[in-house]
Amino acid sequence: MSDCIFCKIVGGEIPAEVVHRTDRFVAFRDISPKAPIHVLVIPVQHVASITESAALSAEARQEMPVFIAETATILGLDNSGYRVATNHGDDARQAVHHMHWHILGGDLLSESM
Ligand code: AMP
Ligand code: ZN
């Protein structure tokens, strides 16, 4: 989508600190981190949120959790632990309407989500 900020990151039109990438997914550091380590995982294909997961290819749907876990391992979080979250819609305060998974870690996280 031409006006989507995360599609522009996929296309290299705006900069991002990419930490992991395959043909189907990109992981990059959140510009406004909510934890010492805060990385976003997005599919290369534009889908608005988790509610549109069915629009992804079977390969992408299969790869998604594996890619998220690989990214956390690359970040050195696999032993200490991490949280994975995604937001859909207004009540969840979704701000960017391109599916993304937040990986949060690097410290003891809050008890509440
Ligand atoms: P959400 O509320 O789940 O839609 O989260 C959107 C996230 O995208 C927020 O944590 C923002 O800090 C992050 N974000 C917005 N623009 C950028 C950007 N250009 N590069 C990296 N992260 C971004
Ligand atoms: Zn997009």
Side-chain angles (χ1 to χ4, degrees), residues 73-93:
T73 298
I74 288 167
L75 294 166
L77 296 174
D78 47 332
N79 286 326
S80 52
Y82 55 92
R83 181 172 288 156
V84 178
T86 193
N87 294 316
H88 164 70
D90 293 342
D91 281 1
R93 302 178 186 271

Side-chain angles (χ1 to χ4, degrees), residues 1 4 6-7 46 97-98:
M1 268 181 84
C4 171
F6 285 177
C7 282
H46 179 96
H97 294 271
H98 180 134

Side-chain angles (χ1 to χ4, degrees), residues 42-106:
I42 66 171
V44 165
Q45 180 186 337
H46 179 96
V47 291
S49 78
I50 192 169
T51 60
E52 295 185 2
S53 296
L56 295 172
S57 67
E59 291 84 359
R61 294 200 304 271
Q62 189 172 30
E63 183 181 345
M64 194 152 55
V66 177
F67 183 92
I68 292 168
E70 279 176 3
T71 302
T73 298
I74 288 167
L75 294 166
L77 296 174
D78 47 332
N79 286 326
S80 52
Y82 55 92
R83 181 172 288 156
V84 178
T86 193
N87 294 316
H88 164 70
D90 293 342
D91 281 1
R93 302 178 186 271
Q94 183 182 5
V96 179
H97 294 271
H98 180 134
M99 179 202 278
H100 51 281
W101 297 87
H102 298 258
I103 301 176
L104 299 147

Side-chain angles (χ1 to χ4, degrees), residues 16-68:
E17 191 182 336
V18 173
V19 297
H20 187 29
R21 184 170 197 140
T22 64
D23 288 345
R24 297 187 182 93
F25 291 92
V26 182
F28 56 92
R29 294 197 189 270
D30 195 291
I31 203 167
S32 177
K34 282 56 169 199
I37 297 174
H38 185 176
V39 161
L40 302 176
V41 168
I42 66 171
V44 165
Q45 180 186 337
H46 179 96
V47 291
S49 78
I50 192 169
T51 60
E52 295 185 2
S53 296
L56 295 172
S57 67
E59 291 84 359
R61 294 200 304 271
Q62 189 172 30
E63 183 181 345
M64 194 152 55
V66 177
F67 183 92
I68 292 168

